[in-house]
């Protein structure tokens, strides 16, 4: 019996020679991003000085003999990297360095995400799905989206799945449950210290999580700051920002987007707001979403209490400030 060959899905990864790239590429090539029966072709985008390191990673990928991996291209040209791309993981970004103001950081990242957005616009496949991981992820996604007017806006997303996963584990520990028992948790807002992990609609083994916890002080003084400042705590402990957990969350984000959320659950994604829950239209903010057939929808109709409203508004304010800053720089 002969099998019809399935054409590979083109997956572009920027910052491929970085630490997240190293934790990510092998999992994509092994089928964990899209499925164990989906062949992939990797396109690695790096800056010129890091091309040799990317080649080293590609040699290791070859040495794994992954049956699903149909080829690897390495380039420093965004037009080549995004040619025919079906999935783009924008990981490479300019980190904040000493003495750099927030405006400098946004401007430096504009220099990366604007041309990459344009290259996606001009070269990617019609079904392109973009996940921005590089920080500040939400606003970098906004910059890329603005440079890609021909791509439907909803294809540009930012990663808050790591925050979601962090919140799952903190809540599981507090309630003595398993992460698998927790459903309907939400991260709202920015992937930053202002984000709001919301357990008021979450369930622990079918019971309302806020009622199971029944401890608003823990919520305000421990849970929320632990989740929101976890990135900084990892940097402090490891001497480098999260890499394997960030790569894992990127895999989760795309896998869920493509393959759907389980019945009775949802996930968190940074997506262009449609104005739901009073979040200004157009900014890339995290929402509770369900996914099906490669599309996502914001979960509607959730009652937002005063505790949540204040915190969602604070994170959204930070996002509109960032939008105004990049607008002032002519980036959106
Ligand atoms: P890293 O410094 O190890 O790697 C970044 C790579 O990007 C480097 O190899 C660099 O050469 C490359 N790069 C820089 N500019 C580029 C460009 N224009 N085109 C292509 N490649 C380029 O960093 P990392 O630890 O892999 O982290 C990457 C980003 O992810 C950082 O911005 C980090 O803050 C962010 N991050 C986000 C989350 C999240 O939850 N959203 C979590 C962890 C880290
Ligand atoms: C994280 O949440 O781990 C990262 O976004 C932290 C960082 O600043 O890179």
């Amino acid at each position: 019996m002969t099998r019809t060959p399935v054409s590979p899905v083109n997956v572009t990864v920027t910052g491929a020679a970085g630490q997240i790239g190293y934790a990510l590429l092998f999992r994509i090539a092994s089928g964990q991003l899209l499925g164990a029966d989906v062949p992939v072709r990797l396109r690695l985008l790096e800056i010129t000085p890091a091309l040799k390191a990317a080649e080293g990673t590609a040699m290791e990928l070859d040495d794994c003999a992954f049956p699903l991996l149909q080829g690897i291209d390495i380039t420093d040209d965004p037009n080549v990297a995004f040619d025919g791309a079906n999935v783009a993981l924008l990981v490479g970004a300019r980190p904040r360095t000493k003495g750099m103001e927030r405006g400098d950081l946004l401007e430096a990242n504009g220099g990366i995400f604007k041309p990459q957005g344009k290259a996606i616009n001009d070269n990617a496949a019609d079904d392109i799905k973009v996940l921005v991981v590089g920080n500040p992820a939400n606003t970098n996604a906004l910059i890329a989206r603005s440079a890609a007017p021909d791509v439907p806006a909803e294809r540009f997303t930012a990663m808050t799945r790591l925050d979601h996963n962090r919140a799952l584990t903190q809540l599981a520990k507090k309630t003595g449950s398993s992460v698998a028992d927790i459903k309907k948790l939400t991260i709202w807002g920015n992937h930053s210290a202002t984000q709001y992990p919301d357990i008021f609609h979450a369930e622990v083994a079918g019971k309302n999580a806020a009622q199971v916890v029944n401890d608003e002080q823990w919520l305000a003084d421990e849970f929320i700051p632990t989740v929101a400042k976890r990135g900084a705590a990892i940097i402090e402990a490891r001497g480098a920002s999260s890499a394997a957990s960030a790569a894992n969350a990127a895999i989760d984000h795309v896998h869920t987007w493509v393959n759907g959320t389980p019945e009775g659950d949802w996930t968190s994604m940074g997506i262009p707001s449609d104005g739901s829950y009073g979040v200004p239209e157009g900014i890339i903010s995290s929402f509770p979403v369900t996914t099906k057939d490669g599309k996502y929808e914001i979960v509607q109709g959730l009652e937002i209490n005063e505790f949540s409203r204040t915190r969602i508004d604070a994170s959204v304010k930070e996002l509109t400030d960032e939008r105004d800053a990049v607008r002032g720089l002519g980036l959106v």
Side-chain angles (χ1 to χ4, degrees):
M1 193 175 84
T2 53
R3 294 179 67 183
T4 319
V6 181
S7 52
V9 175
N10 293 321
V11 180
T12 302
V13 179
T14 77
Q19 49 154 5
I20 294 177
Y22 195 72
L24 185 59
L25 292 167
F26 298 85
R27 295 189 59 187
I28 299 172
S30 71
Q32 293 178 58
L33 185 79
L34 298 168
D37 55 351
V38 183
V40 291
R41 181 172 188 94
L42 283 169
R43 297 263 162 74
L44 313 186
L45 179 67
E46 258 298 350
I47 53 171
T48 316
L51 285 176
K52 189 148 193 286
E55 278 163 19
T57 305
M59 287 162 70
E60 284 202 68
L61 283 160
D62 279 345
D63 294 350
C64 293
F66 288 118
L68 292 174
L69 184 57
Q70 304 277 308
I72 311 170
D73 307 303
I74 305 167
T75 178
D76 57 3
D77 180 347
N79 288 314
V80 174
F82 294 113
D83 186 24
N86 306 103
V87 176
L89 303 172
L90 308 191
V91 178
R94 173 75 160 81
R96 192 195 287 260
T97 41
K98 215 168 167 219
M100 213 177 181
E101 297 299 328
R102 201 178 59 145
D104 301 331
L105 182 72
L106 292 171
E107 189 165 19
N109 278 295
I112 295 174
F113 288 86
K114 194 173 173 178
Q116 288 184 2
K118 184 168 184 333
I120 288 170
N121 190 70
D122 296 348
N123 300 285
D126 286 348
D127 66 349
I128 179 73
K129 287 180 167 61
V130 182
L131 168 62
V132 177
V133 175
N135 282 319
N138 300 53
T139 298
N140 287 339
L142 179 66
I143 294 168
R145 194 211 81 199
S146 303
D150 303 330
V151 178
E154 74 271 11
R155 305 289 185 75
F156 284 85
T157 66
M159 191 165 93
T160 54
R161 185 63 172 262
L162 178 55
D163 311 297
H164 185 99
N165 289 344
R166 287 167 171 165
L168 283 176
T169 299
Q170 294 304 318
L171 183 57
K173 283 186 175 174
K174 171 72 175 173
T175 54
S177 57
S178 146
V179 287
D181 292 332
I182 301 178
K183 307 226 170 334
K184 300 184 178 174
L185 193 130
T186 305
I187 303 294
W188 298 92
N190 203 359
H191 171 67
S192 77
T194 68
Q195 67 177 266
Y196 171 49
D198 177 358
I199 68 162
F200 284 99
H201 306 284
E203 293 168 3
V204 179
K207 296 199 179 78
N208 179 269
Q211 285 169 12
V212 173
V213 168
N214 194 25
D215 183 350
E216 196 162 301
Q217 198 179 353
W218 174 80
L219 203 55
D221 298 342
E222 287 191 46
F223 175 72
I224 296 171
T226 299
V227 174
K229 295 181 188 162
R230 187 72 164 182
I234 301 278
I235 292 171
E236 174 67 28
R238 231 171 69 84
S241 69
S242 59
S245 57
N248 178 67
I251 297 274
D252 283 350
H253 177 113
V254 174
H255 191 273
T256 302
W257 189 357
V258 171
N259 294 298
T261 39
E263 195 62 36
D265 199 3
W266 64 62
T267 189
S268 304
M269 285 170 70
I271 56 171
S273 176
D274 62 357
S276 293
Y277 296 103
V279 179
E281 205 176 329
I283 62 165
I284 309 247
S285 188
S286 188
F287 284 96
V289 298
T290 53
T291 59
K292 197 179 174 205
D293 300 331
K295 294 193 168 66
Y296 59 79
E297 270 182 26
I298 297 175
V299 176
Q300 296 294 342
L302 301 177
E303 205 175 299
I304 306 297
N305 63 19
E306 201 45 47
F307 184 97
S308 298
R309 188 75 261 168
T310 315
R311 288 166 172 82
I312 294 171
D313 288 351
S315 196
V316 165
K317 163 85 170 57
E318 183 180 50
L319 282 171
T320 52
D321 286 351
E322 287 182 13
R323 178 203 57 197
D324 294 347
V326 292
R327 202 178 258 167
L329 294 165
L331 294 169
V332 301

